[in-house]
Amino acid sequence: MSMEEFKAMMDELIAEEEERLGIGTEEFKERHKETVKRHEEIMEMIERIRKEDEQQKMTKQFVNVKDVMEVCDVSKSAAYGIIRQLNNELKAQNFITIPGKIPKAYFEEKCYGVHISG
């Protein structure tokens, strides 16, 4: 089989398959546009979620009483006590502290690897 014969055979197979699939018809073109549009929407959604996750990770450097209550399953007053205790430990090490909040990394370290989601 020569190269020209092989090319002609492949062109014929491609043409038959395009006809079978309806490539080039208005219906095919419209469905293709819809598929491409949906793909773009999904990619934009993924990018938006990724950015929101990055922003949340960057902004959530401290935990508050609500977070401590949730992770430790304690009352509000007990959560404030935990925050106060951890802040006192940090003060003793000459760190700056914020009343009612504790650095997330320090809190997680003191809770033996308990991680806060969200």
Side-chain angles (χ1 to χ4, degrees):
M1 177 181 284
S2 71
M3 198 59 146
E4 289 87 23
E5 291 172 327
F6 178 75
K7 184 177 179 327
M9 182 181 78
M10 290 305 295
D11 288 344
E12 186 179 330
L13 286 172
I14 290 170
E16 288 173 7
E17 191 63 11
E18 285 178 348
E19 186 177 334
R20 185 184 72 79
L21 294 172
I23 295 175
T25 65
E26 287 304 313
E27 180 182 357
F28 181 88
K29 290 176 185 177
E30 190 61 36
R31 184 67 181 127
H32 178 70
K33 285 179 191 176
E34 291 171 7
T35 302
V36 169
K37 183 179 178 190
R38 185 65 180 137
H39 172 75
E40 289 170 353
E41 290 169 355
I42 290 169
M43 295 308 292
E44 288 172 5
M45 187 180 353
I46 290 169
E47 182 64 18
R48 187 177 67 249
I49 291 169
R50 188 187 63 74
K51 285 180 181 179
E52 287 171 1
D53 285 348
E54 283 179 12
Q55 183 180 15
Q56 190 174 22
K57 285 177 187 175
M58 290 179 66
T59 59
K60 189 70 172 176
Q61 298 297 317
F62 289 85
V63 294
N64 58 27
V65 70
K66 181 180 170 190
D67 299 322
V68 174
M69 287 172 61
E70 186 178 314
V71 171
C72 298
D73 193 25
V74 295
S75 68
K76 193 174 202 175
S77 61
Y80 275 118
I82 292 168
I83 291 172
R84 197 170 20 260
Q85 176 187 340
L86 296 177
N87 272 335
N88 287 338
E89 291 174 15
L90 288 171
K91 281 181 190 175
Q93 298 173 43
N94 293 322
F95 286 101
I96 297 170
T97 61
I98 301 170
K101 294 184 178 188
I102 192 79
K104 181 179 178 183
Y106 189 70
F107 175 71
E108 289 177 346
E109 176 187 324
K110 297 303 272 190
C111 288
Y112 303 104
V114 176
H115 294 281
I116 300 171
S117 59

